[in-house]
Amino acid sequence: MFHKRCSFVLLAGGRGARMGSPFKQFRPLGGIPLWAWGLRLANRLYSMGLIEEAVVVFPRDIDFTSHIEHLDKFDMPSKIVKGGETRPASSLAGVTASCGDYVLVHDAARPFASVCLVKRIISALTPESGVIPLTPVRDALKRVSGKGDIFPVSRENLWCTQTPQGFPREELIAAMQLAGDNISDEAEAWIKAGHEIKFVEGEPNNIKVTYESDLKFCETIAQGMGQFRVGHGFDVHPLRPWRKLILAGCDIPDAPLGLDGHSDGDVISHAVADALLGAAGEPDLGTLYPASDERYKDASSLIFLQEISRLLSQKNWSLMWLDVTLEAQLPRLSGYIERFKENLEDALSNLIWNKGKVVNIKVKSGEGVGAVGRARCMRCHCIATMRGDIP
């Protein structure tokens, strides 16, 4: 497959009338808005060099500023375009705003299109031909008249159309301007203009969310998707009388001793960071934030967690559960555990699956045994369960 300059246009400008609730694209699926699954797909395509930008089309009459944070997670070039009154008008606005030689137009109501499908579409694109994914009709078909009479319909040679659909950009703009609003998708405009069109095999999982039951079904799929990994993190820091004690970003004012370290010595945050990085197959905390770098001297370790959360979120990892065990002789910390949990969940908010409560923390006494029991150090272990999207 030779390189093609492709733009990815994500259509999220509809009203979802058939679903019974407005703007279905903003309903949550797996902890993020339905439309943002298409943005994740675009980011994977960008990281592989398959597209050069993403254009997201939102409804023109809503305030979408709260959704911009999802675009800010990724480094790929992206822009937001206001849609029109109809799907063809929104699609034309998005395609016109893009800048690639080719354009991939994807419906934001299809959260599970794969990179493999997009690769097949891009491979089949030519300057003269558009490409669409099709799946054969598998069920027996019936037509129901206005009176309720039922008639069989042959499914022979009938196919279902999916997205993304790929076309040479300039030619698609001309075809859509010619067709106007009287089309159901880009392929219809392309065919009416007399252009050649090819198809590739679509995917059964590339479901379109049209009704409430579709969203519930997709939620079940989303929960089982991806690969699950477990990461282990461990850290130890000595206690010193001249240091503040900071744990999970909390300053413990009544502590006689604090944890020594190049940053704030936050042994909980450091163990959490290594558990996350380990599950995702990334280098450890000391490699990413070396003690030799003066920028990190006395730095808050919650900043490290926020940056790691952003890094892993960009790579489509989600945090399912975090189990932390802190070994500490003194001071008594039971009154701080809920604050510890809140601080960690706030720092990792964009990484947490379904935005739920995912942090468990236990504090164990050293029972007067060893370095921990003699209050010479604190140690912390953490286990992180992570889910990564299937590319």
Side-chain angles (χ1 to χ4, degrees):
M1 178 179 65
F2 64 90
H3 178 69
K4 302 181 175 83
R5 294 184 62 251
C6 292
S7 297
F8 188 93
V9 175
L10 184 63
L11 300 181
R15 295 184 174 274
R18 286 179 291 177
M19 196 161 173
S21 62
F23 305 121
K24 65 185 178 184
Q25 64 272 38
F26 301 119
R27 296 277 298 275
L29 174 63
I32 63 173
L34 176 60
W35 74 268
W37 284 78
L39 191 67
R40 284 187 170 191
L41 171 62
N43 183 63
R44 290 198 291 272
L45 298 172
Y46 177 75
S47 67
M48 299 170 71
L50 295 173
I51 65 169
E52 298 192 351
E53 64 168 353
V55 178
V56 182
V57 183
F58 278 147
R60 66 182 310 109
D61 52 355
I62 70 161
D63 180 10
F64 47 75
T65 53
S66 62
H67 299 281
I68 294 177
E69 63 179 286
H70 295 283
L71 279 79
D72 291 341
K73 286 183 180 180
F74 305 119
D75 294 328
M76 68 177 169
S78 60
K79 65 183 76 168
I80 293 175
V81 173
K82 291 185 177 181
E85 292 298 322
T86 64
R87 184 192 188 281
S90 293
S91 179
L92 181 58
V95 173
T96 303
S98 66
C99 60
D101 296 329
Y102 297 88
V103 63
L104 300 164
V105 183
H106 187 49
D107 192 333
R110 293 186 182 270
F112 301 142
S114 75
V115 169
C116 292
L117 174 61
V118 179
K119 282 183 175 179
R120 293 199 297 273
I121 293 168
I122 294 176
S123 294
L125 274 172
T126 71
E128 296 79 28
S129 177
V131 182
I132 58 175
L134 298 178
T135 57
V137 173
R138 293 174 169 83
D139 298 325
L141 298 176
K142 303 293 185 289
R143 179 170 56 85
V144 181
S145 71
K147 297 180 180 180
D149 298 324
I150 300 175
F151 303 93
V153 176
S154 173
R155 65 188 173 194
E156 185 177 357
N157 297 325
L158 291 181
W159 298 73
C160 296
T161 312
Q162 299 182 336
T163 66
Q165 300 182 7
F167 305 93
R169 176 179 168 274
E170 292 293 340
E171 288 77 4
L172 178 62
I173 291 174
M176 294 185 70
Q177 289 173 336
L178 182 64
D181 282 341
N182 192 28
I183 53 172
S184 58
D185 65 359
E186 295 71 38
E188 187 173 347
W190 188 260
I191 293 169
K192 283 184 175 181
H195 295 304
E196 177 187 3
I197 195 164
K198 298 183 287 188
F199 78 90
V200 298
E201 183 179 355
E203 297 174 329
N205 279 352
N206 191 12
I207 301 162
K208 183 178 181 182
V209 175
T210 304
Y211 302 105
E212 190 70 32
S213 58
D214 299 327
L215 188 63
K216 293 178 180 178
F217 182 58
C218 285
E219 186 66 52
T220 302
I221 295 175
Q223 291 178 7
M225 283 180 65
Q227 55 180 315
F228 287 82
R229 289 187 188 169
V230 174
H232 173 255
F234 169 77
D235 198 33
V236 57
H237 282 278
L239 287 160
R240 302 287 187 246
W242 60 83
R243 292 278 290 189
K244 288 183 178 180
L245 179 59
I246 298 175
L247 294 169
C250 288
D251 188 340
I252 314 298
D254 56 345
L257 302 171
L259 291 165
D260 199 7
H262 183 64
S263 61
D264 56 6
D266 186 343
V267 70
I268 292 179
S269 295
H270 295 176
V272 168
D274 271 344
L276 298 173
L277 293 166
E282 298 289 338
D284 68 354
L285 183 67
T287 301
L288 296 178
Y289 302 95
S292 59
D293 193 328
E294 287 301 308
R295 291 179 300 170
Y296 308 129
K297 184 172 176 57
D298 298 324
S300 168
S301 295
L302 289 185
I303 295 175
F304 301 159
L305 289 183
Q306 291 166 359
E307 293 181 356
I308 289 169
S309 176
R310 177 182 173 85
L311 167 70
L312 300 186
S313 178
Q314 286 180 343
K315 297 186 177 183
N316 296 322
W317 286 99
S318 298
L319 174 61
M320 311 298 290
W321 188 250
L322 206 61
D323 187 34
V324 180
T325 302
L326 175 67
E327 298 179 55
Q329 185 66 31
L330 56 87
R332 294 186 62 84
L333 297 168
S334 58
Y336 290 93
I337 289 179
E338 290 306 313
R339 285 181 59 191
F340 292 167
K341 292 179 181 179
E342 291 173 4
N343 282 0
L344 293 176
E345 287 172 346
D346 285 346
L348 302 172
S349 60
N350 65 351
L351 190 63
I352 294 175
W353 174 262
N354 252 339
K355 306 304 179 187
K357 300 294 185 181
V358 299
V359 178
N360 183 51
I361 297 180
K362 309 176 296 296
V363 180
K364 308 293 287 186
S365 168
E367 302 294 347
V369 176
V372 172
R374 294 193 295 272
R376 296 180 61 184
C377 69
M378 288 185 184
R379 293 189 299 217
C380 189
H381 291 266
C382 178
I383 303 293
T385 303
M386 301 274 284
R387 186 189 71 87
D389 288 350
I390 297 173

